[in-house]
Short mmCIF file of all heavy atoms in Angstrom, two decimals:
data_model
loop_
_atom_site.label_atom_id
_atom_site.label_comp_id
_atom_site.label_asym_id
_atom_site.label_seq_id
_atom_site.Cartn_x
_atom_site.Cartn_y
_atom_site.Cartn_z
N GLY A 1 33.26 -51.20 48.98
CA GLY A 1 33.74 -50.36 47.89
C GLY A 1 34.82 -49.43 48.42
O GLY A 1 35.74 -49.87 49.10
N ALA A 2 34.66 -48.15 48.17
CA ALA A 2 35.65 -47.16 48.63
C ALA A 2 35.30 -46.60 50.00
O ALA A 2 36.03 -45.77 50.51
CB ALA A 2 35.74 -46.03 47.61
N GLN A 3 34.19 -47.05 50.59
CA GLN A 3 33.76 -46.51 51.88
C GLN A 3 33.99 -47.50 53.02
O GLN A 3 34.02 -48.71 52.80
CB GLN A 3 32.26 -46.19 51.87
CG GLN A 3 31.92 -44.87 51.29
CD GLN A 3 30.49 -44.48 51.64
OE1 GLN A 3 29.69 -45.27 52.11
NE2 GLN A 3 30.18 -43.22 51.41
N THR A 4 34.10 -46.93 54.21
CA THR A 4 34.11 -47.75 55.41
C THR A 4 32.72 -47.67 56.04
O THR A 4 32.18 -46.58 56.20
CB THR A 4 35.16 -47.23 56.41
OG1 THR A 4 36.46 -47.28 55.78
CG2 THR A 4 35.18 -48.06 57.68
N TRP A 5 32.17 -48.83 56.32
CA TRP A 5 30.89 -48.90 57.03
C TRP A 5 31.17 -49.42 58.43
O TRP A 5 32.03 -50.28 58.64
CB TRP A 5 29.93 -49.84 56.34
CG TRP A 5 29.38 -49.36 55.04
CD1 TRP A 5 29.80 -48.28 54.29
CD2 TRP A 5 28.32 -49.95 54.29
NE1 TRP A 5 29.06 -48.18 53.15
CE2 TRP A 5 28.14 -49.19 53.12
CE3 TRP A 5 27.51 -51.05 54.50
CZ2 TRP A 5 27.17 -49.49 52.17
CZ3 TRP A 5 26.54 -51.36 53.55
CH2 TRP A 5 26.38 -50.57 52.40
N PHE A 6 30.43 -48.92 59.40
CA PHE A 6 30.51 -49.38 60.78
C PHE A 6 29.28 -50.22 61.04
O PHE A 6 28.16 -49.79 60.78
CB PHE A 6 30.65 -48.18 61.72
CG PHE A 6 31.92 -47.43 61.44
CD1 PHE A 6 31.93 -46.38 60.54
CD2 PHE A 6 33.10 -47.82 62.03
CE1 PHE A 6 33.11 -45.72 60.23
CE2 PHE A 6 34.30 -47.18 61.73
CZ PHE A 6 34.30 -46.12 60.83
N VAL A 7 29.52 -51.46 61.50
CA VAL A 7 28.47 -52.45 61.61
C VAL A 7 28.29 -52.85 63.08
O VAL A 7 29.27 -53.10 63.79
CB VAL A 7 28.82 -53.70 60.77
CG1 VAL A 7 27.76 -54.77 60.89
CG2 VAL A 7 29.05 -53.32 59.31
N TRP A 8 27.03 -52.90 63.50
CA TRP A 8 26.65 -53.38 64.84
C TRP A 8 25.81 -54.61 64.68
O TRP A 8 24.93 -54.63 63.83
CB TRP A 8 25.82 -52.31 65.56
CG TRP A 8 26.55 -51.11 66.01
CD1 TRP A 8 27.04 -50.87 67.28
CD2 TRP A 8 26.88 -49.95 65.24
NE1 TRP A 8 27.63 -49.64 67.30
CE2 TRP A 8 27.55 -49.05 66.07
CE3 TRP A 8 26.66 -49.58 63.91
CZ2 TRP A 8 28.01 -47.82 65.63
CZ3 TRP A 8 27.11 -48.37 63.47
CH2 TRP A 8 27.77 -47.50 64.32
N PRO A 9 26.03 -55.64 65.45
CA PRO A 9 27.15 -55.84 66.37
C PRO A 9 28.41 -56.21 65.59
O PRO A 9 28.34 -56.61 64.43
CB PRO A 9 26.69 -57.02 67.23
CG PRO A 9 25.84 -57.83 66.32
CD PRO A 9 25.14 -56.82 65.43
N ASP A 10 29.53 -56.10 66.25
CA ASP A 10 30.81 -56.41 65.61
C ASP A 10 30.85 -57.83 65.07
O ASP A 10 31.47 -58.10 64.05
CB ASP A 10 31.97 -56.15 66.57
CG ASP A 10 31.86 -56.96 67.86
OD1 ASP A 10 30.76 -57.45 68.22
OD2 ASP A 10 32.89 -57.08 68.56
N LEU A 11 30.16 -58.75 65.74
CA LEU A 11 30.20 -60.14 65.31
C LEU A 11 29.51 -60.39 63.97
O LEU A 11 29.74 -61.40 63.33
CB LEU A 11 29.61 -61.06 66.39
CG LEU A 11 30.46 -61.19 67.65
CD1 LEU A 11 29.74 -61.99 68.71
CD2 LEU A 11 31.80 -61.82 67.33
N ALA A 12 28.68 -59.46 63.53
CA ALA A 12 28.06 -59.61 62.22
C ALA A 12 29.12 -59.57 61.12
O ALA A 12 28.94 -60.15 60.06
CB ALA A 12 27.03 -58.51 61.99
N VAL A 13 30.24 -58.91 61.41
CA VAL A 13 31.36 -58.84 60.46
C VAL A 13 32.41 -59.89 60.77
O VAL A 13 32.86 -60.62 59.89
CB VAL A 13 32.00 -57.43 60.50
CG1 VAL A 13 33.26 -57.39 59.65
CG2 VAL A 13 31.01 -56.39 60.04
N SER A 14 32.80 -60.01 62.04
CA SER A 14 33.94 -60.86 62.37
C SER A 14 33.58 -62.33 62.55
O SER A 14 34.40 -63.19 62.24
CB SER A 14 34.64 -60.35 63.62
OG SER A 14 33.76 -60.40 64.74
N ALA A 15 32.39 -62.65 63.00
CA ALA A 15 32.06 -64.05 63.26
C ALA A 15 32.09 -64.92 62.01
O ALA A 15 32.62 -66.03 62.07
CB ALA A 15 30.71 -64.16 63.98
N PRO A 16 31.53 -64.50 60.87
CA PRO A 16 31.62 -65.38 59.70
C PRO A 16 33.06 -65.74 59.33
O PRO A 16 33.35 -66.89 59.03
CB PRO A 16 30.94 -64.57 58.58
CG PRO A 16 30.00 -63.67 59.31
CD PRO A 16 30.71 -63.31 60.59
N ARG A 17 33.96 -64.74 59.37
CA ARG A 17 35.37 -65.02 59.06
C ARG A 17 35.99 -65.92 60.12
O ARG A 17 36.75 -66.83 59.79
CB ARG A 17 36.15 -63.71 58.94
CG ARG A 17 35.77 -62.90 57.71
CD ARG A 17 36.72 -61.74 57.53
NE ARG A 17 36.72 -60.82 58.64
CZ ARG A 17 36.26 -59.59 58.63
NH1 ARG A 17 35.73 -59.10 57.53
NH2 ARG A 17 36.31 -58.83 59.69
N ALA A 18 35.68 -65.67 61.38
CA ALA A 18 36.25 -66.46 62.46
C ALA A 18 35.75 -67.90 62.41
O ALA A 18 36.49 -68.84 62.63
CB ALA A 18 35.93 -65.84 63.81
N ILE A 19 34.46 -68.08 62.11
CA ILE A 19 33.91 -69.44 62.00
C ILE A 19 34.58 -70.17 60.85
O ILE A 19 34.99 -71.32 60.99
CB ILE A 19 32.38 -69.39 61.82
CG1 ILE A 19 31.71 -69.07 63.17
CG2 ILE A 19 31.84 -70.72 61.27
CD1 ILE A 19 30.22 -68.86 63.11
N GLU A 20 34.70 -69.50 59.70
CA GLU A 20 35.33 -70.12 58.54
C GLU A 20 36.77 -70.54 58.84
O GLU A 20 37.23 -71.59 58.42
CB GLU A 20 35.31 -69.13 57.37
CG GLU A 20 35.78 -69.72 56.07
CD GLU A 20 35.65 -68.72 54.94
OE1 GLU A 20 34.53 -68.28 54.66
OE2 GLU A 20 36.69 -68.38 54.34
N ALA A 21 37.48 -69.72 59.60
CA ALA A 21 38.88 -70.02 59.93
C ALA A 21 39.02 -70.89 61.18
O ALA A 21 40.12 -71.25 61.56
CB ALA A 21 39.64 -68.70 60.15
N GLY A 22 37.89 -71.21 61.83
CA GLY A 22 37.95 -71.99 63.06
C GLY A 22 38.59 -71.23 64.20
O GLY A 22 39.21 -71.81 65.08
N ALA A 23 38.45 -69.90 64.19
CA ALA A 23 39.16 -69.06 65.14
C ALA A 23 38.23 -68.30 66.09
O ALA A 23 38.61 -67.29 66.65
CB ALA A 23 40.03 -68.05 64.39
N LEU A 24 37.02 -68.79 66.30
CA LEU A 24 36.09 -68.12 67.20
C LEU A 24 36.48 -68.44 68.65
O LEU A 24 36.54 -69.60 69.03
CB LEU A 24 34.67 -68.61 66.92
CG LEU A 24 33.52 -67.75 67.32
CD1 LEU A 24 33.58 -66.40 66.65
CD2 LEU A 24 32.20 -68.43 66.97
N SER A 25 36.79 -67.42 69.43
CA SER A 25 37.16 -67.64 70.83
C SER A 25 35.94 -68.05 71.63
O SER A 25 34.79 -67.89 71.18
CB SER A 25 37.79 -66.38 71.42
OG SER A 25 36.78 -65.43 71.70
N SER A 26 36.15 -68.55 72.83
CA SER A 26 35.03 -68.95 73.68
C SER A 26 34.17 -67.75 74.07
O SER A 26 32.94 -67.86 74.15
CB SER A 26 35.53 -69.69 74.92
OG SER A 26 36.41 -68.88 75.66
N VAL A 27 34.76 -66.60 74.26
CA VAL A 27 34.00 -65.39 74.59
C VAL A 27 33.16 -64.97 73.39
O VAL A 27 31.98 -64.64 73.52
CB VAL A 27 34.94 -64.25 75.06
CG1 VAL A 27 34.20 -62.93 75.13
CG2 VAL A 27 35.56 -64.59 76.39
N GLU A 28 33.76 -64.99 72.20
CA GLU A 28 33.02 -64.64 70.98
C GLU A 28 31.88 -65.63 70.75
O GLU A 28 30.77 -65.23 70.39
CB GLU A 28 33.96 -64.63 69.77
CG GLU A 28 34.94 -63.49 69.78
CD GLU A 28 36.06 -63.68 68.76
OE1 GLU A 28 36.46 -64.83 68.50
OE2 GLU A 28 36.52 -62.66 68.24
N ARG A 29 32.14 -66.89 70.97
CA ARG A 29 31.10 -67.91 70.78
C ARG A 29 29.94 -67.69 71.75
O ARG A 29 28.78 -67.79 71.38
CB ARG A 29 31.67 -69.31 70.92
CG ARG A 29 30.66 -70.38 70.55
CD ARG A 29 31.32 -71.75 70.38
NE ARG A 29 30.37 -72.69 69.88
CZ ARG A 29 30.05 -72.86 68.60
NH1 ARG A 29 30.63 -72.14 67.68
NH2 ARG A 29 29.16 -73.75 68.22
#
């Protein structure tokens, strides 16, 4: 919405997008 939330771990936010885009690095994986 209008707020920023901080999420732990970072991969809970970035991994779904990276997996969908096929952009997960070897370190992230």
Side-chain angles (χ1 to χ4, degrees):
Q3 276 195 347
T4 300
W5 290 11
F6 297 91
V7 179
W8 288 262
D10 58 341
L11 289 174
V13 173
S14 62
R17 291 189 300 249
I19 285 174
E20 187 177 299
L24 202 60
S25 76
S26 58
V27 169
E28 290 166 327
R29 187 167 187 84

